[in-house]
Amino acid sequence: MYDLLLRQCRLLQTDRTIAEVDIAIQQGAIAVIAPHITEPATLELDLQKQLVSPPFVESHIHLDSALTIGEPRWNESGTLFEGIEIWRDRKQNLSLDDVKTRAIATLKQQAMQGVLFVRSHADVSETSLIALQALLEVRDAVKAWTTLQVVAFPQDGIYGGAQNDDLIEKAMAMGADAVGGIPHYELTREDGVKSVHRIFELAQKYDRLIDIHCDEIDDDQSRFLEVVAACAIRSGMGSRVTASHTTAFGSYNNAYAFKLLGLLRRTELNFIANPLINITLQGRTDTYPKRRGVTRVKELWQQGMNVSFGHDCIQDPWYSLGTGNMLDVASMGLHVCQMTGTAEIDACYDMVTWHGAKTLNVSDRYGVEVGKPANLIVLDAHDRYDAIRRRATVSYVISQGRLLATTEAPKSVWHDT
Ligand code: FE2
């Protein structure tokens, strides 16, 4: 007797094929995947050929600022820098309860839409380290239904204030999963380079992952990605290192961009693009032509680099919109990066699932495979293309073998004759 049996599944495979199978779950793990399972289960769901996928992965979000839209004021210019100013004011009023309540509400909102793996940045530029402490407590509070990684993110720069370097080291000692950075926002280019070296030093000292906000600016002279790549090559840490945003890569001249791609091929760096937010934040100083402000996703993917998509912000000083739906993210990425070929569309889906899992370094426990933890979602869709095009409803969310959430697909009725 199994705990849960899913009948008539169309199971997505990494090779782009779809298998018609039944899936049995026992004690929180995938027990059997076979064309037809006869043994009974405590709970059986007939999926009637809906799509089964591993859960969505949110590889880049800021849970500490989520759901603070308008507090204390709206970002009228829409720029990254006004967002940082507003957040500087808002974060004076952070409390553990405030951050935890908003973070858990956001995680639930995402989990109900099929997101069960999340990497969040926590601002560690304040002496109290409240945002980090709160998210570490949330990581523990939600572990029965979602996996949360927390990055120690020095929003104001590691060298932007006298205490900031000590604060990020303290954050590592407190248990952050990854070291973050923001080299393009440091006071000088030299400080930016120094900050990247410091990040690698901390990651090696505490044996943690790295996720750097890197070159999130339209300045074609912002070139910290090459510093990250050089450190990754020398340290051998490549697959444990992520370069987030890298929007300046979209502004580099091709002579430099092609040279850089050659350098990147020598690493196993992960890249995260955040198309919803960067299509609105970037290009703000341009008249026309106006740049798209997203990194070279298609080219990195074509070179075999691991690229994932993140939501980045949900209703905060940098991005006033967002519902946490990763199919919205994939759709915007598809449009902005012009990934409209069939393999490219499928890749956009993979950038919010398998590729995100690789970025988070959780591939060993991710995927709908026998023996792995039973984390999966059911989409009211035929395939990846259909799921993205219609922002398909996530009908069922199964977390660690348990039914976590259900959603009914909207249904329209035509009344005119
Ligand atoms: Fe970010």
Side-chain angles (χ1 to χ4, degrees):
M1 182 82 120
Y2 298 115
D3 296 333
L4 178 59
L5 182 57
L6 306 177
R7 293 204 181 280
Q8 292 200 78
C9 310
R10 284 172 50 79
L11 176 61
L12 280 182
Q13 313 279 309
T14 52
D15 65 0
R16 298 177 62 204
T17 61
I18 294 176
E20 300 206 355
V21 294
D22 291 350
I23 300 172
I25 292 166
Q26 180 77 35
Q27 293 184 329
I30 310 275
V32 182
I33 300 175
H36 186 62
I37 298 172
T38 52
E39 200 173 325
T42 308
L43 176 63
E44 293 192 15
L45 299 173
D46 185 352
L47 301 185
Q48 300 182 353
K49 302 197 174 178
Q50 290 187 87
L51 203 61
V52 172
S53 165
F56 293 126
V57 179
E58 170 62 273
S59 53
H60 188 122
I61 194 168
H62 295 254
L63 290 173
D64 53 354
S65 58
L67 311 182
T68 61
I69 184 68
E71 300 172 4
R73 61 189 183 277
W74 196 273
N75 182 343
E76 295 291 347
S77 72
T79 59
L80 173 77
F81 297 105
E82 186 177 346
I84 292 175
E85 282 169 24
I86 295 170
W87 177 241
R88 193 171 291 146
D89 292 341
R90 176 58 175 84
K91 70 186 179 185
Q92 304 309 317
N93 303 318
L94 291 183
S95 69
L96 279 177
D97 273 357
D98 168 38
V99 178
K100 286 166 72 175
T101 302
R102 288 184 289 98
I104 290 174
T106 308
L107 287 169
K108 279 188 178 167
Q109 194 175 322
Q110 290 212 286
M112 285 190 284
Q113 298 177 88
V115 180
L116 294 180
F117 292 87
V118 177
R119 175 180 286 177
S120 174
H121 295 258
D123 184 354
V124 294
S125 296
E126 288 305 304
T127 48
S128 60
L129 293 177
I130 279 182
L132 178 80
Q133 181 61 38
L135 292 189
L136 293 178
E137 290 180 23
V138 169
R139 182 179 69 185
D140 197 46
V142 301
K143 67 183 180 191
W145 50 274
T146 197
T147 297
L148 175 63
Q149 288 182 353
V150 181
V151 185
F153 172 50
Q155 174 75 74
D156 300 335
I158 294 178
Y159 302 110
Q163 298 176 307
N164 294 13
D165 190 9
D166 290 340
L167 287 171
I168 195 165
E169 176 137 22
K170 194 173 169 196
M172 302 323 298
M174 285 169 66
D177 299 287
V179 198
I182 188 165
H184 58 279
Y185 192 67
E186 296 285 355
L187 300 177
T188 66
R189 173 178 163 76
E190 289 71 21
D191 284 355
V193 172
K194 194 170 131 189
S195 76
V196 174
H197 289 288
R198 177 69 173 139
I199 291 161
F200 275 79
E201 182 185 295
L202 285 168
Q204 288 177 308
K205 179 175 175 183
Y206 291 90
D207 190 24
R208 306 290 159 81
L209 303 170
I210 291 174
D211 191 333
I212 301 173
H213 281 63
C214 190
D215 302 317
E216 188 185 8
I217 190 167
D218 292 323
D219 177 10
D220 65 350
Q221 294 301 310
S222 184
R223 296 183 173 183
F224 296 104
L225 179 54
E226 65 180 18
V227 184
V228 174
C231 288
I233 290 170
R234 291 190 198 113
S235 66
M237 281 190 68
S239 64
R240 293 170 61 78
V241 180
T242 297
S244 280
H245 295 289
T246 63
T247 58
F249 202 170
S251 295
Y252 297 155
N253 67 72
N254 277 339
Y256 176 68
F258 293 157
K259 175 201 152 189
L260 181 60
L261 274 173
L263 177 61
L264 296 174
R265 272 201 305 269
R266 295 175 55 196
T267 73
E268 291 177 87
L269 283 180
N270 305 291
F271 291 84
I272 300 175
N274 298 289
L276 283 175
I277 186 164
N278 284 126
I279 194 67
T280 63
L281 278 182
Q282 308 309 131
R284 291 279 179 167
T285 57
D286 292 353
T287 52
Y288 289 92
K290 195 181 276 289
R291 284 169 286 182
R292 290 172 187 245
V294 176
T295 195
R296 300 191 186 204
V297 169
K298 190 190 291 193
E299 291 74 13
L300 288 165
W301 168 71
Q302 286 171 337
Q303 296 288 326
M305 307 293 298
N306 186 52
V307 186
S308 54
F309 285 142
H311 209 299
D312 201 3
C313 298
I314 298 176
Q315 291 190 292
D316 76 2
W318 295 275
Y319 186 63
S320 53
L321 302 163
T323 64
N325 185 334
M326 297 311 292
L327 291 174
D328 273 347
V329 178
S331 176
M332 182 59 79
L334 182 160
H335 285 80
V336 175
C337 305
Q338 299 183 326
M339 295 187 65
T340 50
T342 53
E344 293 166 359
I345 292 172
D346 285 358
C348 287
Y349 186 91
D350 294 352
M351 287 178 194
V352 293
T353 49
W354 284 278
H355 295 193
K358 189 170 180 194
T359 299
L360 267 58
N361 266 248
V362 296
S363 298
D364 58 333
R365 55 199 164 96
Y366 180 87
V368 184
E369 298 165 31
V370 171
K372 287 195 172 176
N375 297 309
L376 60 87
I377 59 175
V378 179
L379 287 147
D380 181 30
H382 186 72
D383 54 19
R384 289 167 167 89
Y385 158 69
D386 188 39
I388 293 177
R389 188 183 74 83
R390 294 190 300 109
R391 318 287 197 283
T393 300
V394 177
S395 319
Y396 299 96
V397 180
I398 311 282
S399 171
Q400 300 173 27
R402 294 175 300 115
L403 184 59
L404 184 68
T406 56
T407 303
E408 285 189 22
K411 191 176 173 184
S412 300
V413 179
W414 183 257
H415 290 288
D416 197 5
T417 50

